[in-house]
Amino acid sequence: MPTLKDLAKQKDPLSGGHRACAGCGAPIVVRQVLMASKDPVVVTCATGCLEVVTTIFPYTAWNVPFLHNAFENSAATCSGVEAAYQSLKRKGKIKSDHINFVAFGGDGGTYDIGFQSLSGAMERGHDMLYVCYNNEAYMNTGIQRSSATPKGAATTTAPAGKKIPGKQQFSKNLTEIMVAHDLPYVAQSAVGFWRDLTTKAEKAFSIRGPKFMNVLQPCRLGWAYDPSKTAELGRLAADTCIWPLYEVENGKYKLSYKPKEKKPVTEFLKVQDRFRHLKKPGNEAIIESIQKETDRRWEALLAKCEQ
Amino acid sequence: MPILAKTGNEAMAEAMRQINPDVVAAYPITPATEVVMIFSGFVADGLVDTEFVAVESEHSAMSACVGAAAAGCRVMTGTSSQGLQLMSEILPIASALRQPIVLCEVNRALSGPINIHCDHSDTMAVRDFGWIQIFSENAQEAYDNILQLIKITENESVRLPGMATTDGFIISHCMEKIEALDDNEVKEYLGEHKKMNSVLDLDKPVTLGALDLQDYYFEHKMPIIEAMKNSKDVILKVAKDFAKRYGREYGLIEEYKLADAEIALVALGSTCGTARVVIDELREKGVKAGLLKIRVFRPFPAEEIVKALSKVKAAAIMDRSDMYSNQGGPLFSELRSAMYEAKDKPLLTNYVYGLGGREISLEDIQKIFAEQKEAAASGKVKQLIQHFGVRE
């Protein structure tokens, strides 16, 4: 388990000075995941906020090899890099004993447009870690709904209008879909839990084969909150059980964090303007349904963890 | 040199076996399935030491190819029609990242309606993506073109991806005699793949695929345009060297009985074989007919075509695809544009033919030559663009 002191001593895989918004959680995810690697890393990245803010030519914030191909193919691209490594290693053309291949994608590039590419790469069993920095909407193009967007949230393609109050559907449970791929390691973490995130990344890197991590990443622009509250928002998501922290190793569920006191979902909703319209009279049923679905998913997860 | 009986697909797969690429990422599609299938057999039998990535789609095939090439590997794939279309988002990224990926393409009509037979609409639809495109008349050429493409695409002044094509079913599934190279000859001919700016270079980390806005994008397009220009000479040099080594000659174009021809047919791929038979017959009757085969479509050999047709009175430009522009097919459009400044040029007629595998017979080509004879005599073209062989 890495300590803060260990992490602080490491060479930063992603330098400062990039163009991410104040309070952006994405670089936090990247740095904490990559710093947990003892071996060299090679990164692929989907088109999206992370790629855009870190690689505006002629600048790059990446101190590790980085390849961006397109939006929906971070996993397939990474699988190609990994296959190349296996080939060159077998032929004795590369020295390095082991490299950790990491594919990053936002929820758009992972849950939606890149879902097939992700599923394919994981099924093929490449030795790689896929990390979704999940900010629950297409933030790069200006806050459009994704299948990761929670019910009730206002986005620019599911706005809070006079008749329809934001997104109508609950989010897709991608982590469970990845568990159904029978991967050796699947985990859910969030910004605001550095020890949880780095420990999970470290564990993922210790396992050979396909690994998947879904990391909730508050987006101050899309979620509309005070940019100093990013880590706090991630913690609130876990404390309300909206975003439980857990891991599944070889099919065995383990809860990583159980809040001392399970907070009502309103604690999470009320500090974000994407849910502001839910405070209006007449929208109580939406909040109730969010609470009910959160409880249902939490109980289902607990049951799996206790088995 | 072994003499083998191979279909177009088998010939391409055989070339792939001998090339022994570091990585192949591919997805099956009719009529190119066999290329992938046969190659998978080579992998399973340990005849190659390629890392074979059996992806879940052509989009992922090309994406993985880009990843593997960016890691410094010699990379190949194969596809056709819808598969090439699914790859098409990534094709210009492959060329912009200057990755010399080689693709075995089997020409097949694009949907819709869905059809599995030959026309050139798939290859033509991706002609503007910075890929070298070489058409093959038969299985022998398919084999030779694939080998030469490795040399062409990996040349440092080119470093662009390339595709060699055969005509679906007509060549891909038709067995012919081919003269192959010995395995060690291929190995010696191709040499080691040279990696550049590899993402596996841990000591010198590179960022590939950066965001490139209005202040740099244009400057970064120019080297790709230059590389395509350079590729013309490289294709010719590679062909010359190939001829010297193995005796078979290639160019950007090929002239058949064209030197003194009054009427000519200009075509790509398998139709050229049919045209040769008709031309021989016509020559016996004293008709001065000839063929101009376009081997390389990208880069487009404009000057060479203009020169080759300068003494011809009337020429039939054969397009196996339309492009819904009301200006005929892509070959006609580019050839006609190339003729604009030419002092001596033939009368041109565009024949859009053979869509969705509609057969083009000896009689059809005889008819086309008869029309050209008429045009040459009258000085008039009957109809600039004809959709030939379509029922009314």
Side-chain angles (χ1 to χ4, degrees):
Chain A
M1 191 186 291
T3 64
L4 271 181
K5 212 171 159 185
D6 294 337
L7 294 175
K9 277 185 206 154
Q10 281 200 36
K11 192 177 176 235
D12 210 327
L14 186 74
S15 74
H18 52 68
R19 319 283 182 92
C21 302
C24 176
I28 301 175
V29 176
V30 171
R31 293 172 71 229
Q32 291 180 359
V33 167
L34 297 185
M35 279 177 162
S37 172
K38 293 183 182 75
D39 291 327
V41 295
V42 172
V43 169
T44 67
C45 186
T47 307
C49 283
L50 180 61
E51 163 261 333
V52 165
V53 302
T54 56
T55 71
I56 302 183
F57 191 88
Y59 306 105
T60 179
W62 294 90
N63 292 321
V64 295
F66 172 93
L67 172 61
H68 160 248
N69 189 347
F71 188 7
E72 68 279 57
N73 62 0
S74 184
T77 305
C78 195
S79 79
V81 179
E82 191 264 353
Y85 171 75
Q86 299 300 350
S87 177
L88 296 176
K89 200 174 163 189
R90 197 167 53 233
K91 294 174 183 176
K93 290 182 183 171
I94 194 157
K95 284 180 217 150
S96 185
D97 282 342
H98 186 256
I99 295 175
N100 282 320
F101 295 96
V102 187
F104 285 106
D107 49 297
T110 308
Y111 277 66
D112 292 346
I113 200 167
F115 181 53
Q116 172 183 321
S117 171
L118 167 67
S119 179
M122 294 287 108
E123 182 274 332
R124 290 193 298 274
H126 296 276
D127 183 22
M128 59 182 271
L129 168 63
Y130 192 102
V131 180
C132 175
Y133 64 101
N134 175 10
N135 48 39
E136 300 192 323
Y138 306 155
M139 300 312 184
N140 187 45
T141 42
I143 322 166
Q144 289 86 32
R145 92 187 279 286
S146 78
S147 62
T149 304
K151 182 176 177 179
T155 61
T156 54
T157 50
K162 282 176 187 155
K163 281 195 170 169
I164 307 170
K167 197 192 171 201
Q168 297 292 288
Q169 302 81 12
F170 291 108
S171 64
K172 179 160 90 186
N173 198 335
L174 181 66
T175 308
E176 288 302 302
I177 297 170
M178 298 324 291
V179 171
H181 281 66
D182 278 333
L183 307 180
Y185 190 71
V186 175
Q188 213 170 256
S189 187
V191 169
F193 292 90
W194 69 268
R195 192 185 290 277
D196 181 78
L197 181 54
T198 52
T199 305
K200 281 173 178 163
E202 193 181 49
K203 186 181 267 184
F205 290 137
S206 74
I207 298 164
R208 297 290 166 266
K211 287 88 58 177
F212 175 81
M213 285 173 64
N214 196 350
V215 187
L216 188 73
Q217 176 249 303
C219 165
R220 57 98 26 212
L221 192 72
W223 294 16
Y225 60 85
D226 174 349
S228 68
K229 307 282 187 209
T230 297
E232 216 166 282
L233 253 294
R235 287 197 291 269
L236 257 178
D239 283 335
T240 52
C241 299
I242 277 179
W243 191 261
L245 311 186
Y246 69 103
E247 59 187 357
V248 185
E249 201 177 341
N250 294 316
K252 199 168 163 40
Y253 282 73
K254 194 180 148 202
L255 196 67
S256 323
Y257 175 77
K258 194 168 190 175
K260 279 185 192 120
E261 180 203 350
K262 184 173 170 237
K263 292 182 177 165
V265 294
T266 45
E267 296 293 305
F268 179 70
L269 305 180
K270 72 181 183 191
V271 289
Q272 304 171 59
D273 276 356
R274 62 174 170 158
F275 296 112
R276 185 175 48 186
H277 56 285
L278 297 184
K279 292 172 191 161
K280 282 187 202 158
N283 285 336
E284 296 83 357
I286 299 170
I287 297 177
E288 269 170 43
S289 73
I290 295 170
Q291 183 65 62
K292 212 174 148 191
E293 179 62 11
T294 302
D295 294 345
R296 189 192 68 78
R297 289 187 185 189
W298 173 246
E299 293 301 327
L301 177 64
L302 286 183
K304 283 176 187 163
C305 292
E306 280 156 15
Q307 272 167 15
Chain B
M1 280 194 193
I3 307 287
L4 309 168
K6 296 275 177 201
T7 65
N9 282 343
E10 288 168 354
M12 278 179 155
E14 178 67 0
M16 284 176 79
R17 181 187 66 75
Q18 295 181 308
I19 292 162
N20 193 9
D22 298 312
V23 174
V24 168
Y27 191 80
I29 180 168
T30 306
T33 304
E34 282 176 338
V35 177
V36 183
M37 228 165 69
I38 297 166
F39 190 78
S40 310
F42 295 149
V43 175
D45 290 339
L47 298 175
V48 288
D49 40 18
T50 303
E51 192 71 19
F52 176 63
V53 190
V55 284
E56 85 298 334
S57 72
E58 290 88 352
H59 193 282
S60 285
M62 190 42 62
S63 301
C65 283
V66 166
C73 282
R74 185 174 275 160
V75 179
M76 294 185 75
T77 187
T79 194
S80 178
S81 185
Q82 305 306 109
L84 191 61
Q85 288 298 292
L86 194 52
M87 284 180 180
S88 74
E89 186 206 10
I90 310 304
L91 297 177
I93 298 173
S95 55
L97 288 173
R98 307 295 296 277
Q99 302 301 346
I101 299 159
V102 171
L103 188 154
C104 302
E105 152 69 9
V106 182
N107 296 308
R108 164 185 150 182
L110 286 181
S111 296
I114 187 167
N115 175 292
I116 56 167
H117 293 282
C118 174
D119 71 30
H120 295 163
S121 52
D122 54 351
T123 299
M124 287 301 173
V126 300
R127 68 187 183 271
D128 299 337
F129 292 160
W131 282 64
I132 289 164
Q133 292 182 318
I134 303 184
F135 282 77
S136 321
E137 185 179 329
N138 49 43
Q140 179 73 63
E141 289 193 9
Y143 175 84
D144 293 347
N145 286 339
I146 289 289
L147 294 182
Q148 289 180 53
L149 255 183
I150 299 278
K151 290 286 259 197
I152 296 161
T153 58
E154 290 181 8
N155 185 289
E156 278 184 33
S157 66
V158 179
R159 290 278 307 184
L160 288 176
M163 58 184 78
T165 82
T166 63
D167 283 351
F169 291 106
I170 303 165
I171 302 303
S172 69
H173 286 63
C174 180
M175 193 158 296
E176 292 178 277
K177 186 182 90 174
I178 74 159
E179 206 172 281
L181 274 58
D182 290 322
D183 288 0
N184 52 9
E185 259 178 331
V186 173
K187 202 174 167 190
E188 190 220 305
Y189 173 60
L190 298 178
E192 283 284 308
H193 176 72
K194 250 172 108 182
K195 64 175 180 180
M196 278 173 90
N197 301 322
S198 162
V199 289
L200 293 182
D201 188 347
L202 303 168
D203 300 326
K204 206 182 132 215
V206 288
T207 290
L208 294 181
L211 177 66
D212 212 26
L213 299 176
Q214 62 275 52
D215 48 354
Y216 283 100
Y217 180 90
F218 205 168
E219 282 71 26
H220 290 154
K221 281 288 159 188
M222 293 314 292
I224 308 167
I225 293 165
E226 281 302 313
M228 193 53 97
K229 255 188 216 165
N230 297 340
S231 72
K232 239 168 124 169
D233 274 349
V234 173
I235 292 167
L236 289 172
K237 272 183 202 151
V238 167
K240 209 171 163 188
D241 174 56
F242 191 86
K244 207 172 121 193
R245 286 167 182 258
Y246 314 115
R248 291 187 293 278
E249 289 183 15
Y250 292 95
L252 299 163
I253 55 172
E254 184 195 327
E255 298 179 23
Y256 182 70
K257 300 189 177 173
L258 194 66
D260 65 339
E262 288 175 354
I263 53 176
L265 190 119
V266 185
L268 300 148
S270 61
T271 304
C272 295
T274 319
R276 286 174 207 268
V277 177
V278 176
I279 289 164
D280 289 350
E281 286 169 7
L282 289 171
R283 284 279 171 176
E284 270 177 32
K285 291 178 195 157
V287 180
K288 289 184 172 176
L291 168 73
L292 177 63
K293 176 167 95 177
I294 311 298
R295 175 183 176 236
V296 178
F297 193 76
R298 282 288 181 269
F300 191 71
E303 296 87 357
E304 291 77 5
I305 292 172
V306 169
K307 202 173 152 213
L309 293 178
S310 63
K311 295 201 178 83
V312 172
K313 286 182 183 163
I317 316 305
M318 305 295 290
D319 264 299
R320 206 159 192 158
S321 60
D322 195 273
M323 52 185 194
Y324 309 119
S325 72
N326 303 328
Q327 298 294 309
L331 175 61
F332 181 61
S333 186
E334 299 208 6
L335 184 146
R336 197 178 174 210
S337 160
M339 290 287 173
Y340 184 73
E341 282 95 2
K343 220 166 63 191
D344 302 311
K345 54 190 162 193
L347 293 166
L348 302 177
T349 308
N350 187 203
Y351 294 87
V352 175
Y353 76 101
L355 302 192
R358 177 65 48 88
E359 199 185 343
I360 179 105
S361 65
L362 295 170
E363 292 74 24
D364 291 332
I365 291 178
Q366 284 162 3
K367 194 178 165 205
I368 289 166
F369 269 121
E371 287 183 6
Q372 292 313 300
K373 211 175 151 192
E374 232 178 277
S378 67
K380 272 185 205 149
V381 167
K382 207 167 74 185
Q383 190 186 338
L384 184 67
I385 299 158
Q386 289 191 37
H387 288 86
F388 185 87
V390 65
R391 289 191 302 275
E392 289 189 4

